[in-house]
């Protein structure tokens, strides 16, 4: 049974998850499913901040042309889930489609939205509804991208496909947007190459961190500094970038590299690590839970570093954090970050010989 068939057996449907493109497609398919036989008279749209009683009232009206009366609620996370218990009173002829659209905002707002999403999922469950979570899955993303490239009259080389998925952080939604741009960029050419992807695609911030760490591991200070400057942006935003993304992402990646080094020395893959190793990994970040392409990249990098070198990198990160907080002497934010990267690259370089 397809997703659409399962969803349409319920009176309340919540389209949730990280993949905006998949949510849009699912909404489109639901609205145009033959079972709905939608007419303009039987469809009404609402915004999440409106009263849930209005949604239920609209969907509870007897359908005019079709078998069901449908209310679509966009940006549902803006609403108060506690006020939506009335969803349990929908008649069989009513259908409410709730869409957890993307919302802009800082990290604290994104955390609040995650909490709101959980509350809405519970409300829909209590109403006997259907919750579909469109999670990021790089493996599924590749097959979808291949199909979309064919639809555009293009084909992606295997390396271009992998690079596109990595540069967009495994997000199918972002990858599909970038694929449209790539198709225009190559023009009459049928094949999209890795170099095309690297030229055109706007990388996720994590991609630049990965590039920076790869350069550090190779001992390539010049490339590491280039990626650092991309991450920082303007000098005036250096401290904000450091605490918002650079330090957290570096810490996360080095902790994963430490786990990868354990696997390298034990000569096991993260997915097949024995219990005595797997149980030693933290819940977050956990190497075994990373996507396969990330595990492969981390294992490759970990082969170049010893535990002593990783320890020195952690110390450089710790000292840079302390300098920016005024706990150790420092010249300035930009210089402190560059010093950290240069120290890490210097520590890593001997592993190449």
């Amino acid at each position: 049974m397809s997703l659409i068939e399962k969803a349409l057996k319920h009176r309340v449907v919540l389209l949730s998850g990280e993949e905006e493109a998949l949510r849009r497609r699912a909404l489109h398919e639901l609205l145009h499913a033959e079972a709905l036989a939608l007419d303009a008279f039987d469809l009404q749209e609402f915004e999440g901040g409106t009263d849930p009683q209005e949604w239920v009232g609209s969907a509870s009206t007897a359908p005019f042309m079709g078998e069901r009366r449908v209310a679509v609620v966009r940006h549902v996370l803006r609403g108060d889930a506690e006020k939506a218990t009335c969803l349990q009173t929908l008649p069989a002829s009513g259908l409410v489609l709730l869409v957890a659209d993307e919302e802009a905002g800082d990290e604290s707002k994104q955390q609040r939205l995650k909490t709101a999403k959980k509350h809405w999922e519970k409300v829909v469950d209590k109403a006997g509804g259907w919750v579909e979570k469109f999670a990021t899955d790089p493996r599924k993303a590749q097959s979808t991208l291949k199909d979309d490239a064919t639809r555009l009259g293009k084909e992606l080389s295997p390396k271009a496909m992998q690079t596109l998925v990595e540069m967009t952080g495994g997000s199918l939604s972002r990858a599909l947007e970038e694929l449209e741009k790539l198709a225009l960029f190559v023009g009459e050419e049928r094949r999209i190459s890795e170099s095309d992807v690297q030229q055109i695609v706007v990388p996720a911030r994590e991609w630049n961190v990965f590039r920076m760490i790869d350069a550090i591991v190779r001992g390539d200070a010049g490339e590491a500094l280039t990626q650092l400057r991309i991450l920082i942006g303007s000098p005036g935003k250096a401290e904000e970038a450091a605490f918002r993304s650079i330090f957290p992402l570096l810490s996360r990646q080095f902790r994963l590299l430490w786990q990868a080094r354990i696997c390298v020395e034990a000569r096991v893959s993260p997915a097949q690590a024995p219990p005595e190793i797997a149980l030693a990994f933290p819940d977050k970040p956990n190497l075994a839970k990373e996507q396969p392409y990330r595990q492969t990249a981390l294992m490759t990098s970990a082969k170049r570093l010893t535990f002593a070198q990783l320890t020195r990198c952690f110390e450089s990160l710790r000292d840079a954090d302390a300098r920016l907080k005024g706990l150790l002497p420092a010249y300035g934010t930009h210089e402190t970050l560059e010093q950290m990267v240069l120290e890490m690259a210097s520590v890593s370089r001997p592993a190449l010989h």
Side-chain angles (χ1 to χ4, degrees):
M1 186 181 295
S2 70
L3 180 158
I4 302 301
E5 291 173 326
K6 290 177 182 178
L8 292 179
K9 290 183 176 293
H10 299 79
R11 300 172 191 177
V12 185
V13 177
L14 172 61
L15 303 178
S16 185
E18 303 93 350
E19 288 292 358
E20 182 183 3
L22 297 182
R23 288 198 308 272
R24 285 200 308 265
R25 287 187 180 186
L27 179 61
H28 177 82
E29 290 175 10
L30 283 166
L31 292 178
H32 291 83
E34 184 177 351
L36 291 178
L38 279 178
D39 185 271
F41 294 103
D42 289 328
L43 172 65
Q44 188 170 0
E45 290 199 23
F46 298 89
E47 282 294 311
T50 54
D51 188 347
Q53 290 283 1
E54 295 182 32
W55 320 339
V56 173
S58 175
S60 298
T61 304
F64 179 67
M65 298 291 290
E67 295 181 3
R68 301 178 84 175
R69 171 82 178 174
V70 183
V72 177
V73 185
R74 306 302 301 266
H75 301 100
V76 71
L77 300 184
R78 297 177 185 176
D80 186 349
E82 293 182 1
K83 297 180 179 179
T85 54
C86 55
L87 290 171
Q88 300 175 26
T89 65
L90 276 169
S93 61
L95 173 64
V96 175
L97 300 177
L98 308 173
V99 188
D101 290 296
E102 295 291 326
E103 299 283 357
D106 59 19
E107 195 168 328
S108 61
K109 181 178 180 180
Q110 295 305 318
Q111 285 299 122
R112 291 196 299 273
L113 290 169
K114 284 184 180 179
T115 301
K117 191 180 296 184
K118 291 178 181 178
H119 289 165
W120 278 105
E121 289 170 359
K122 290 179 180 178
V123 166
V124 172
D125 281 339
K126 287 183 178 179
W130 175 268
V131 178
E132 186 65 36
K133 302 177 186 178
F134 297 99
T136 297
D137 187 339
R139 287 169 293 186
K140 292 182 180 178
Q142 292 199 18
S143 62
T144 303
L145 285 169
K146 183 178 180 181
D147 292 341
D148 266 55
T150 302
R151 178 181 60 81
L152 293 168
K154 307 296 179 185
E155 62 181 39
L156 285 157
S157 70
K159 192 63 178 175
M161 177 82 76
Q162 180 181 347
T163 303
L164 177 57
V165 171
E166 291 180 2
M167 289 186 72
T168 53
S171 168
L172 175 60
S173 302
R174 285 209 57 224
L176 289 170
E177 291 174 0
E178 297 296 338
L179 182 59
E180 297 277 353
K181 290 160 52 179
L182 284 163
L184 292 172
F185 175 71
V186 299
E188 297 299 318
E189 292 290 333
R190 178 170 178 79
R191 192 172 179 82
I192 296 173
S193 68
E194 181 187 9
S195 62
D196 295 327
V197 174
Q198 291 178 339
Q199 284 186 70
I200 295 301
V201 173
V202 178
R205 185 168 292 272
E206 290 85 352
W207 167 257
N208 295 114
V209 173
F210 299 155
R211 292 283 298 275
M212 183 172 71
I213 292 178
D214 286 344
I216 286 171
V217 171
R218 297 195 309 270
D220 187 344
E223 175 62 17
L225 287 174
T226 296
Q227 296 303 322
L228 173 67
R229 288 160 188 157
I230 292 172
L231 285 165
I232 290 174
S234 63
K237 295 183 178 180
E239 185 168 327
E240 178 188 348
F243 289 114
R244 184 189 70 246
S245 59
I246 296 174
F247 286 167
L249 288 171
L250 274 175
S251 175
R252 184 180 192 278
Q253 286 305 109
F254 279 116
R255 282 183 287 164
L256 287 170
L257 279 169
W258 188 280
Q259 296 169 50
R261 183 65 201 179
I262 293 174
C263 291
V264 167
E265 296 207 351
R267 297 186 178 182
V268 297
S269 69
Q272 298 176 336
E276 61 269 21
I277 292 178
L279 291 174
F281 291 167
D283 290 335
K284 292 182 180 180
N286 188 306
L287 179 62
K289 296 178 182 178
E290 293 292 300
Q291 296 294 340
Y293 77 92
R294 288 298 307 141
Q295 290 181 5
T296 300
L298 287 160
M299 291 290 286
T300 300
S301 294
K303 290 176 183 177
R304 297 172 175 265
L305 294 173
T306 64
F307 286 122
Q309 289 169 318
L310 284 168
T311 299
R312 291 283 302 279
C313 287
F314 276 117
E315 289 172 347
S316 294
L317 177 60
R318 177 202 63 196
D319 290 347
D321 179 74
R323 289 189 179 98
L324 294 190
K325 291 176 178 175
L327 302 177
L328 289 175
Y331 292 107
T333 303
H334 204 280
E335 292 77 8
T336 296
L337 293 174
E338 288 190 340
Q339 180 183 346
M340 173 191 70
V341 168
L342 288 171
E343 286 175 356
M344 290 177 174
S346 177
V347 165
S348 302
R349 193 173 296 119
L352 299 178
H353 300 297

